[in-house]
Amino acid sequence: MPPAAKHVFTSESVTEGHPDKVADQISDAVLDAILARDPAARVACETMVTTGMAVVAGEITTSAYVHIPDIVRDTVERIGYTDARFGFDYRTCAVLSSIDRQSPDIARGVDGESDDDRGAGDQGMMFGYACDETDEMMPLPIMLSHRLARRLADVRRGTGGAPHLPWVRPDGKTQVSVEYQDDRPVAVRTVVVSTQHDDRVGGRTLSQRTIEGEILEAVVRPVLAEAGMGDGKPRVHVNPTGRFVIGGPQGDAGLTGRKIIVDTYGGMARHGGGAFSGKDATKVDRSAAYAVRWVAKNIVAAGLARRCEVQVAYAIGVARPVSIYVNSFGTGRVADAALERAVSEVFDLRPARLIADLDLCQPIYSESAAYGHFGRTPAKGKYADGDLRPRAVQRFTWERTDRTRELKSAVKA
């Protein structure tokens, strides 16, 4: 028998205080504020943040009025930039906005009377992915990276059953390298955690030894233990440069849509290139990517494949997809062509139908703008006591596994 094939795969995540994630959260907060008043609004909202400033721009057509500076400041406060020493804080940051209406040329293609008249808001291809290596049907490296990043936020605030480390600041990044044998995760080999921190605590310079020790005990070990991956003695790097005081928008400018791999599958699946945050559901970059995650997850949940990637592609103004492709990477119980036929029979991927089926005109998107859009079913900002994972409240409808029976029947037919 040949030896098991081994490889190591790495994914990363970032905290809600990372400058790009600050931008994503502002864009989605603007979107949610508008959808709460006008579910039929057309929104394409982009944000840039830098030292002491947030710039909001884009194309919005709506009957509602929202005060963008208030939305920006509320979002920045919630994230944790509440002190001018951080180089960016909600009280003093300047807020500039430049908003125009959606192009009527685009509106012609997405506004219509029937499902076939309401076409895609742009051309492009989107990918969805699922696998059976975690309960969330997500790749283990990205799920562990997200949990580490979320744990950093918990220890900063003293929430989620985590100890309080008041010297932790909002910006941070995590990275996890997982060893696979025959495409199954077997061990965590390397963990990287970089957290922004106060320079001095109690009048003394915060030492690298203190940072390493407390992050290891309060963040890394609990997350790995909960995942059942705490026995492999991985190599752990905490703030490898030894200092991370200047961070957030002061350290780097942040832009909406610059963390598309963090937002999806950590690089384990292909990506069509479109970002999510700040876009209403007529933008198939977002809605169709959610829909094919729904498709892929149902295929895996039905036991029809252990791994599954689904691609869909659209032409602007055209309702029906120009192509649907299913790849089970040799793990399918039936041929990929049979899975494609079943998907086409069970799922209606016309934009108007997938928006209706997934209820995507609701103001739910701010919750998705940090810690990944997939593998989560969160209640807004709440956790079960002592549990690192969000409570299983089905707000992210694309995480449902409600079409498994239909898929199985379609495959048998």
Side-chain angles (χ1 to χ4, degrees):
M1 186 173 180
K6 294 183 181 181
H7 70 275
V8 176
F9 193 89
T10 301
S11 296
E12 71 160 355
S13 184
V14 298
T15 65
E16 64 210 67
H18 185 282
D20 293 331
K21 278 289 136 201
V22 173
D24 283 341
Q25 289 166 93
I26 291 171
S27 292
D28 270 341
V30 172
L31 171 64
D32 278 354
I34 293 171
L35 290 178
R37 297 161 177 82
D38 178 13
R42 300 288 184 261
V43 181
C45 179
E46 311 292 343
T47 303
M48 187 274 287
V49 293
T50 187
T51 304
M53 180 183 294
V55 180
V56 180
E59 295 76 45
I60 299 175
T61 300
T62 180
S63 60
Y65 171 78
V66 298
H67 190 61
I68 288 177
D70 284 351
I71 295 169
V72 171
R73 295 185 195 282
D74 288 348
T75 304
V76 172
E77 181 185 19
R78 176 181 54 76
I79 291 169
Y81 285 107
T82 57
D83 191 325
R85 293 177 303 155
F86 297 172
F88 188 78
D89 93 288
Y90 78 99
R91 294 183 185 89
T92 63
C93 69
V95 180
L96 306 179
S97 62
S98 178
I99 304 296
D100 205 344
R101 291 182 293 272
Q102 182 187 58
S103 163
D105 296 338
I106 296 174
R108 292 178 67 233
V110 299
D111 294 334
E113 296 299 322
S114 71
D115 291 343
D116 276 324
D117 290 335
R118 294 195 285 271
D122 201 353
Q123 70 177 48
M125 66 284 189
M126 301 83 208
F127 289 91
Y129 181 81
C131 59
D132 67 354
E133 61 190 63
T134 63
D135 291 342
E136 298 86 354
M137 298 185 194
M138 288 284 288
L140 182 62
I142 188 63
M143 292 307 296
L144 289 178
S145 296
H146 285 323
R147 291 178 192 173
L148 288 167
R150 193 91 199 215
R151 184 75 172 182
L152 277 177
D154 283 341
V155 299
R156 172 167 58 89
R157 296 187 172 102
T159 57
H164 187 206
L165 303 182
W167 48 265
V168 175
R169 288 185 179 178
D171 195 1
K173 300 181 79 171
T174 61
Q175 184 172 287
V176 178
S177 302
V178 174
E179 180 181 323
Y180 286 76
Q181 292 185 5
D182 289 335
D183 287 328
R184 291 291 193 183
V186 295
V188 174
R189 289 300 174 217
T190 307
V191 174
V192 184
V193 177
S194 295
T195 182
Q196 186 187 14
H197 59 87
D198 286 342
D199 189 21
R200 300 175 70 82
V201 174
R204 302 180 63 180
T205 299
L206 187 63
S207 71
Q208 174 67 5
R209 183 175 180 178
T210 297
I211 295 169
E212 287 181 352
E214 295 197 15
I215 292 298
L216 184 63
E217 288 299 321
V219 177
V220 177
R221 285 178 178 162
V223 169
L224 295 186
E226 191 220 14
M229 289 286 175
D231 298 330
K233 296 182 179 180
R235 178 179 296 177
V236 179
H237 300 281
V238 177
N239 283 17
T241 67
R243 184 177 175 84
F244 186 4
V245 174
I246 298 173
Q250 183 185 25
D252 289 291
L255 298 172
T256 300
R258 205 159 59 175
K259 285 290 175 283
I260 59 176
I261 300 302
V262 171
D263 285 343
T264 52
Y265 308 101
M268 188 70 79
R270 286 173 283 197
H271 198 293
F276 297 155
S277 291
K279 297 177 180 178
D280 74 84
T282 64
K283 282 71 172 174
V284 285
D285 277 345
R286 181 171 217 162
S287 56
Y290 289 174
V292 287
R293 159 64 178 172
W294 179 42
V295 173
K297 188 173 182 181
N298 273 270
I299 289 173
V300 173
L304 297 175
R306 289 194 298 106
R307 295 174 61 201
C308 184
E309 182 182 77
V310 180
Q311 185 202 51
V312 65
Y314 294 89
I316 187 169
V318 178
R320 296 189 181 277
V322 299
S323 68
I324 299 172
Y325 170 66
V326 176
N327 184 358
S328 67
F329 306 95
T331 70
R333 282 176 43 201
V334 297
D336 289 349
L339 290 175
E340 286 176 14
R341 288 192 295 271
V343 167
S344 296
E345 179 180 330
V346 173
F347 295 91
D348 190 339
L349 295 178
R350 290 175 294 173
R353 286 312 317 156
L354 66 88
I355 289 170
D357 288 343
L358 296 178
D359 200 15
L360 295 180
C361 292
Q362 303 301 312
I364 57 172
Y365 297 105
S366 294
E367 298 177 54
S368 71
Y371 310 112
H373 293 247
F374 305 126
R376 300 169 55 203
T377 52
K380 193 169 185 177
K382 295 181 180 179
Y383 292 82
D385 292 339
D387 189 356
L388 298 176
R389 293 174 295 182
R391 296 181 185 209
V393 177
Q394 203 77 320
R395 293 178 63 84
F396 291 178
T397 53
W398 50 93
E399 293 297 319
R400 298 185 312 214
T401 53
D402 55 348
R403 299 287 177 93
T404 56
R405 184 176 301 176
E406 292 93 329
L407 281 170
K408 291 177 182 178
S409 297
V411 165
K412 289 178 182 177

